[in-house]
Amino acid sequence: MSNEAIAQQLLELADLSDYVGDSPYKSRAYRQAAHTLETLQTPIETLAEGGAKALEQIPGIGTAIAEKILAYLQTGVIPKREQLLQQVPQGILEVMAVPGIGAKTARLLHEQLGVSDLQSLRQALLSGAADHLLGSQRRERLLRLVELRHKSQRRTPLGFALPRGRELLQAIQQLEGVQNAVLGGSARRMQEDVGDLDYLVATEQPETTLEAFVRLPQIADVYAQGVRRAQVFLSDGLQVDVKTVPPISWGAGMLSITGSKAHSIRLRQRALERGLKLNEYGVWQGGTCIASDTEEAVYAALGLPWIPPPLREDTGEIEAAEQGRLPNLIVAVQIRGDLQSHSNWSDGLNTLEEMAQAAHALGYEYLAVTDHAHQLGDANDPVEAFAQRQRAIEQLNERLGGRPYLLNAIEVNILEDGTLLAPEPILRAAQLVLAGVHDNHGMPPEQMTQRLLRALENPAVDILAHPTGRRYGKRPPNDADWERLFERARALDKAVEINGYPTRMDPPTPIARMLVESGAWISLGTDAHTVRDLQAMELAIGLAQRAWTTPERLLNTRSLNELLQWLQGRRN
Ligand code: DGT
Ligand code: CA
Ligand code: CA
Ligand code: ZN
């Protein structure tokens, strides 16, 4: 249990106490104790080993609060808080957590309008029912905050969150007093979608830094601002959490802000097993901090090597680290080309030449141009259009000296029965064939499995594209017997794609992990429809890392010659 968690409990106790009309002295004392705990670095458990007497040595903590802390450490609850919770509307704590709503307003809102949680508060604000209680200025501000809070409950695809996150990181790094800053949380773990952006900032003057932070032009609204942390919203509703640590605690802070929660819990348990304590300030032996400044040092103090963030999900990485068998994850420099892209010969926006130049700028050896077979040219005569595109590709390859080499590739739809929507001559002439589901999603799993198996078994097909078909904000992943499919792909020496297009990120991590475990070939593709989309390789790599992908079975790490051989091998 962190000092921060107890501080939070005490703040809530203060709100509850105000709501039921207890003495204001009490709530003031609770808030002051919370403030003290928020800035205290030594784990409170360590101090609590000396009993109530030791806790009372901490400024701002008297007998009554020391007792509450001890109770919390022993039982996980503060009895007084539980007791007060029984006397108030459920959800009223989240109402009082909205800046600008104190106990008095919360009470009025409840008694007159039945507001008992954020949902009913939002309704009361939207309908105008709360206007007479709040006055127009306050109502406007509250409505904005509550709407932002509401919006921020949606998850944001990593591909949209990362650019915003990096831009804000640059601004944070410029702030007064900032010695170091990192974008942590699920974004650092390259999770396919993120709930919010989490920053860790190393500074000796947290309050000054936070004061400057909330005034950044990117920040639309401040939800909470404390002595060590702030919670704000960007104008598009993305939520941002910022925490500060003293520079010496940089590594422990990074570990804590990066998570995942499950990974952090395992690390804290591991510390306890060794008679140590881990918090966001360091690894503690009694009252002494024995490791804190780098992630490596903190892991080492727990007897572990450094674990890459995309693996930190408590899905076997701690055991692997313990046994010295962490995967040798792929990294960006090993990627020699992109295996899915579209030009204006189908639904892409850029010419072959523009795509080639952009791929060259990325240092690629090759780019597979996988225009949709049924959309080639004006689609009246796709075979003729394919032949024309092939000549254009050959000329370009000659003119650019194969830097990069454009693969005359094609993407074909897998129809409902597993057959392919493409004329035979195109399938025969293409150097590389991707097959993917583009309609009739959501079939029963057994049918979907048969459909995909049939496509995979078609001799023309090299790669199964975006296997689950998921699209953020549009449709969930299709269900199928992935183990069976990937095993079949392995047996057929074919590849399955990990697609990095921001709204795809397909297959999701657990299925991508099954893919890696199957031993089938893996192909990374951005599904770029513009030159800019080629940047999504970073997302495909992140997803592949989360799936524990190593270079050996990744097609994109092959040289052009090896790739052509692999393709040729199956065409004979
Ligand atoms: P998300 O935002 O849902 O995509 O997922 P995460 O993993 O970014 O989770 P988030 O934003 O809740 O928290 C980021 C990290 O910070 C996570 O590993 C746990 C840690 N964390 C979050 N809230 C607290 C807190 O109140 N106290 C402490 N000690 N750590 C926290
Ligand atoms: Ca987060
Ligand atoms: Ca967060
Ligand atoms: Zn596609």
Side-chain angles (χ1 to χ4, degrees), residues 2 4 155 185-187 189 191 193-196 198 229 241 243 256-261 264 268 280:
S2 67
E4 212 177 280
R155 301 186 67 80
S186 47
R189 303 196 312 276
Q191 194 168 310
D193 53 17
V194 306
D196 64 2
D198 303 279
R229 53 196 298 190
D241 286 348
K243 293 193 189 179
S256 152
I257 199 89
T258 302
S260 66
K261 201 165 246 166
S264 301
R268 265 178 260 141
E280 63 267 49

Side-chain angles (χ1 to χ4, degrees), residues 28-94:
R28 199 173 307 155
Y30 298 147
R31 291 201 174 93
Q32 202 179 357
H35 184 284
T36 302
L37 281 167
E38 273 173 19
T39 50
L40 182 73
Q41 295 184 21
T42 319
I44 190 75
E45 292 100 319
T46 302
L47 299 172
E49 280 160 12
K53 283 277 159 292
L55 290 179
E56 284 166 35
Q57 300 302 307
I58 307 171
I61 295 186
T63 315
I65 291 177
E67 244 170 51
K68 291 183 172 56
I69 293 174
L70 287 176
Y72 184 71
L73 291 176
Q74 278 154 21
T75 65
V77 293
I78 299 176
K80 179 79 183 171
R81 179 178 170 280
E82 300 306 298
Q83 181 202 328
L84 290 179
L85 269 179
Q86 300 301 313
Q87 301 171 29
V88 302
Q90 255 196 2
I92 205 74
L93 279 175
E94 61 184 37

